[in-house]
């Protein structure tokens, strides 16, 4: 299979978009017309939830397929409904891929290599799903990433390693000041960037990307210098407060190297509207255009 | 519900054991008599795997219930079989609790607070399962742990935060040298220890524990000084190379404060034997006795 970074850059060029839509379904914000399809039956509450979030996410996928390059299902919002939630997750991963979207499964997993191998199987080589990329946490060290990197090499998969996250508490450890005057996230950026060298595709970007929160533009500038060939997955747009103009320095001079994720501001854009699917489509399109106006090149 | 640390210490005293058995099922090492119960049917391969790992783990639980205080299912080994694996995980969590074992779900999750809340619901407040404790990764910072800590306070749950993991690569970031001459894991130990102060139970231990690998005794001594009231969950015993005598300094002077996990060396002790359940029981009992000989008090 083609290098993940090449597949992603290809989609970005074709759709003129670097929008990633986060699929974080919350039952209380899902249109009642979907909920009512299932609450007439005497289903187990988790099984009912599984059907509802599946149908909602599939409708979101339909609405954003033209304007987004990827969707990022947040595993926690599915796992909270137990195995029926995980079944729903598997179904929407497949549906999004059928609709031509790349799927970045947001699982932020981390474990020692022998266990990471089982996670790699779970998300990349399962009989039922094969995500295009996943998010991972680097705290356990580079050997813990090896089983995932192997599937990036062998099967065209992608990784986004947490470098600097969008939450305020990211300062606690990610900003820890090292003896060489750098912060921890700079060391992580350096090592992850090095590991990514081997996976640089034809477009000049690596299949090993980095998560860099939209709420820290200064840090992003530093990280960009350390990781010029790295695609940043940028969460925190919209509901978490970041705007398009904050994100200029996340991009490379070629206008590439970034995908920006918004979840709540897109998928619940129509929560109170009868035309909710239309509102979701509109929100995704507007986000694409807002970002397009500030990137250095088209 | 009673404070988690008190429940754990209570179990340790009653069973005179600090053995935790890791449930990391691997299909190729599961006795054929279990596999053959299901391979005669035309099941989907993941559904079949789900049944097999459920039955095997339940048999392990039966075999170790007298000598272990807790089991630690490793989520990855269930997730690799998709939703049927997750369904099996839910079933064995409930079965272990019925058999009087505490369940530490090894998920090593990490996310921003709004997402961590969904994970907390998934593992602690699901309709179908309610683990006693889970493992979490601190890289995102203390705010990412808050939703879990809340359920430790409100519902008697426990956490084990990764501090120093057992793998060689743990040096990459956990050992990063900070400007104040400490290593990163010491900063993590300090902050996690502070957060745990509020959750110290009657026995003098906190419900917020730490993961400290059995392969790093020197580091454990340092961490013990920083976290005197913290229970260490110690992986790496047995198959990963650590022996009982390596673990002396992990314990507090009261002979408490530690649970030691072994996975492969217990659950596959009888892989080639017809009396495999007996071999598993024997391996758990021997581990309990070996550790008992080196702890400072009984």
């Amino acid at each position: 299979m083609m290098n993940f970074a090449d597949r992603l850059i290809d989609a970005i060029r074709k759709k003129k978009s670097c929008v990633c839509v986060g699929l974080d379904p919350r039952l209380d914000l899902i249109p009642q017309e979907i909920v009512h399809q299932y609450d007439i039956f005497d289903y187990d509450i988790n099984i009912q939830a599984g059907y509802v979030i599946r149908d909602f996410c599939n409708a979101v996928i339909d609405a954003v397929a033209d304007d987004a390059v990827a969707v990022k299902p947040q595993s926690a919002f599915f796992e909270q409904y137990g195995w029926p939630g995980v079944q729903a997750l598997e179904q929407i991963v497949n549906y999004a891929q059928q609709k031509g979207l790349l799927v970045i499964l947001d699982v932020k997993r981390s474990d020692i290599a022998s266990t990471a191998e089982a996670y790699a199987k779970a998300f990349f080589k399962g009989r039922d799903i094969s995500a295009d990329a996943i998010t991972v946490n680097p705290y356990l060290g580079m050997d813990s990433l090896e089983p995932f990197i192997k599937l990036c090499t062998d099967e065209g998969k992608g990784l986004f390693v947490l470098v600097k996250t969008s939450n305020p508490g990211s300062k606690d450890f990610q900003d820890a000041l090292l003896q060489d005057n750098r912060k921890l996230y700079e060391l992580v950026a350096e090592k992850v960037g090095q590991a990514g060298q081997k996976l640089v595709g034809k477009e000049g970007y690596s299949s090993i990307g980095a998560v860099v929160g939209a709420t820290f533009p200064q840090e992003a500038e530093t990280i960009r210098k350390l990781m010029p060939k790295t695609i940043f997955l940028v969460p925190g747009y919209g509901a978490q407060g970041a705007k398009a103009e904050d994100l200029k320095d996340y991009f490379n001079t070629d206008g590439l190297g970034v995908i920006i994720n918004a979840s709540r501001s897109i998928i619940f854009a129509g929560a109170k509207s009868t035309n909710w699917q239309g509102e979701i489509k509109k929100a995704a399109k507007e986000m694409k255009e807002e970002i397009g106006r500030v990137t250095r090149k088209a």
Side-chain angles (χ1 to χ4, degrees), chain A residues 230-252:
Chain A
T230 301
I231 298 171
F232 291 179
L233 168 60
V234 182
Y237 190 88
Q240 281 184 61
K243 294 192 177 66
E245 50 265 41
D246 301 327
L247 301 177
K248 275 184 206 170
D249 294 321
Y250 289 65
F251 288 85
N252 255 325

Side-chain angles (χ1 to χ4, degrees), chain A residues 15 19-25 30-31 34 50-74 78 87-105 129 132 261-263 266-268 276-285:
Chain A
K15 289 182 172 172
V19 170
C20 176
V21 174
L23 301 174
D24 305 10
I30 290 180
I34 294 180
Y51 289 139
V52 170
I53 61 177
R54 177 199 63 193
D55 285 7
F56 174 66
C57 289
N58 283 350
V60 172
I61 288 164
D62 285 337
V64 305
D66 290 342
D67 297 298
V69 287
V71 287
K72 181 176 75 62
Q74 169 48 262
F78 297 84
Q87 188 177 46
L89 176 61
E90 291 173 1
Q91 290 168 337
I92 66 144
V93 166
N94 289 321
Y95 189 73
Q97 287 172 329
Q98 280 168 33
K99 293 287 164 175
L101 289 161
L102 293 166
V103 175
I104 301 165
L105 206 46
I129 59 164
D132 298 288
N261 184 76
S263 302
I266 305 284
I267 71 174
F268 303 124
W276 54 272
Q277 224 180 346
E279 295 290 330
I280 293 170
K281 188 176 173 55
K282 196 175 138 215
K285 196 163 191 290

Side-chain angles (χ1 to χ4, degrees), chain A residues 172-184 186:
Chain A
D172 292 341
F173 305 123
Q174 295 165 30
D175 290 2
L177 203 55
L178 306 184
Q179 236 173 22
D180 59 7
N181 262 321
R182 294 189 301 174
K183 290 180 173 171
L184 178 69
E186 296 176 71

Side-chain angles (χ1 to χ4, degrees), chain A residues 15-282:
Chain A
K15 289 182 172 172
K16 299 188 196 307
S17 169
C18 57
V19 170
C20 176
V21 174
L23 301 174
D24 305 10
R26 288 164 194 265
L27 274 189
D28 55 330
L29 292 171
I30 290 180
Q32 285 302 308
E33 64 182 89
I34 294 180
V35 178
H36 287 327
Q37 281 189 287
Y38 298 103
D39 64 8
I40 49 171
F41 301 105
D42 191 24
Y43 288 130
D44 168 276
I45 200 164
N46 281 350
I47 291 178
Q48 185 182 322
Y51 289 139
V52 170
I53 61 177
R54 177 199 63 193
D55 285 7
F56 174 66
C57 289
N58 283 350
V60 172
I61 288 164
D62 285 337
V64 305
D66 290 342
D67 297 298
V69 287
V71 287
K72 181 176 75 62
Q74 169 48 262
S75 189
F77 289 94
F78 297 84
E79 290 184 58
Q80 67 181 331
Y81 302 114
W83 68 262
V86 174
Q87 188 177 46
L89 176 61
E90 291 173 1
Q91 290 168 337
I92 66 144
V93 166
N94 289 321
Y95 189 73
Q97 287 172 329
Q98 280 168 33
K99 293 287 164 175
L101 289 161
L102 293 166
V103 175
I104 301 165
L105 206 46
D106 196 356
V107 291
K108 298 190 179 69
R109 295 299 195 266
S110 62
D111 221 300
I112 60 169
S114 56
T115 302
E117 213 173 291
Y119 277 130
K121 185 169 169 248
F123 307 125
F124 285 152
K125 286 180 75 104
R127 180 180 152 102
D128 297 323
I129 59 164
S130 178
D132 298 288
I134 62 166
T135 56
V136 290
N137 180 316
Y139 187 71
L140 278 95
M142 298 307 291
D143 62 359
S144 72
L145 305 182
E146 278 308 323
F148 302 112
I149 293 174
K150 186 171 185 321
L151 292 183
C152 294
T153 312
D154 295 353
E155 315 218 355
K157 300 301 183 184
L159 272 194
F160 290 94
V161 185
L162 300 184
V163 173
K164 175 69 183 163
T165 58
S166 58
N167 59 315
S170 71
K171 69 176 186 321
D172 292 341
F173 305 123
Q174 295 165 30
D175 290 2
L177 203 55
L178 306 184
Q179 236 173 22
D180 59 7
N181 262 321
R182 294 189 301 174
K183 290 180 173 171
L184 178 69
Y185 71 79
E186 296 176 71
L187 175 65
V188 175
E190 184 191 80
K191 292 219 182 212
V192 172
Q194 279 164 3
Q197 293 286 358
K198 278 181 249 166
L199 280 152
V200 173
K202 289 180 205 153
E203 297 280 1
Y205 285 95
S206 173
S207 294
I208 304 182
V211 174
V212 183
T215 44
F216 296 106
Q218 279 194 319
E219 287 81 350
E221 218 184 319
T222 308
I223 298 168
R224 178 47 81 202
K225 282 177 197 149
L226 289 164
M227 309 180 96
K229 292 176 177 176
T230 301
I231 298 171
F232 291 179
L233 168 60
V234 182
Y237 190 88
Q240 281 184 61
K243 294 192 177 66
E245 50 265 41
D246 301 327
L247 301 177
K248 275 184 206 170
D249 294 321
Y250 289 65
F251 288 85
N252 255 325
T253 48
D254 59 3
L256 292 168
V258 174
I259 50 170
I260 299 171
N261 184 76
S263 302
R264 285 164 273 178
S265 61
I266 305 284
I267 71 174
F268 303 124
K272 286 168 189 165
S273 162
T274 50
N275 179 30
W276 54 272
Q277 224 180 346
E279 295 290 330
I280 293 170
K281 188 176 173 55
K282 196 175 138 215

